[in-house]
Amino acid sequence: MKTTALAATLALAALSSSASANDLAAPGETALKVTKLQMGIKGPAVAACPADAELNIWVFTNKEGTVPVYIAKAGGGVTGPHQVTTKKTANGTYMGTYFRDLTIHQPIDARYRASAPQHKQLSNWVPLKASCSFGLGG
């Protein structure tokens, strides 16, 4: 009896360590999975600062749901979670977006990446460059 209880305990421990809450679903229902994560930054159009940039993240899933997404800067710094809700699109895929305006006040040459760690997904690294070669008065 002790051997059976020990085996059951070890099996439950292995199951709980390999499955996250997002991997579990009600019987007959599929779990939410991120199939692709993309990020893009549209840098400033002018060399003067302050200048505006746009950050976009696209989350693709296998069904409707909400995904926590983080933004990491190469070399350190993470923001989030930013909740992205995916919905069915006209072509039958499920997608959600996160958008943020960025104001650039000084020269920058950095790279950023989006992540959905609960779903083991990373976007590509995306550069953000601004020279701020001349400032605006006032």
Side-chain angles (χ1 to χ4, degrees):
M1 187 67 165
K2 283 185 178 181
T3 305
T4 304
L6 178 61
T9 302
L10 289 173
L12 283 174
L15 177 63
S16 66
S17 66
S18 65
S20 71
N22 287 322
D23 292 332
L24 304 177
E29 185 179 315
T30 58
L32 178 67
K33 298 281 185 191
V34 174
T35 57
K36 185 168 44 171
L37 186 63
Q38 292 181 303
M39 181 178 190
I41 298 176
K42 182 180 179 185
V46 297
C49 288
D52 294 326
E54 298 175 3
L55 178 141
N56 287 282
I57 298 172
W58 297 271
V59 180
F60 298 86
T61 59
N62 63 327
K63 67 179 196 172
E64 291 186 351
T66 301
V67 177
V69 175
Y70 296 83
I71 302 169
K73 181 179 179 182
V78 176
T79 65
H82 308 284
Q83 302 299 325
V84 178
T85 301
T86 60
K87 300 210 181 277
K88 193 171 190 175
T89 65
N91 69 357
T93 61
Y94 296 91
M95 184 186 77
T97 59
Y98 173 80
F99 170 82
R100 186 157 89 185
D101 283 321
L102 306 170
T103 302
I104 310 299
H105 294 282
Q106 59 193 14
I108 186 168
D109 185 359
R111 294 182 316 139
Y112 294 88
R113 163 183 267 180
S115 68
Q118 292 178 344
H119 298 275
K120 299 179 176 123
Q121 290 288 324
L122 295 170
S123 76
N124 50 315
W125 283 105
V126 179
L128 173 60
K129 294 182 182 184
S131 67
C132 296
S133 53
F134 63 94
L136 296 177

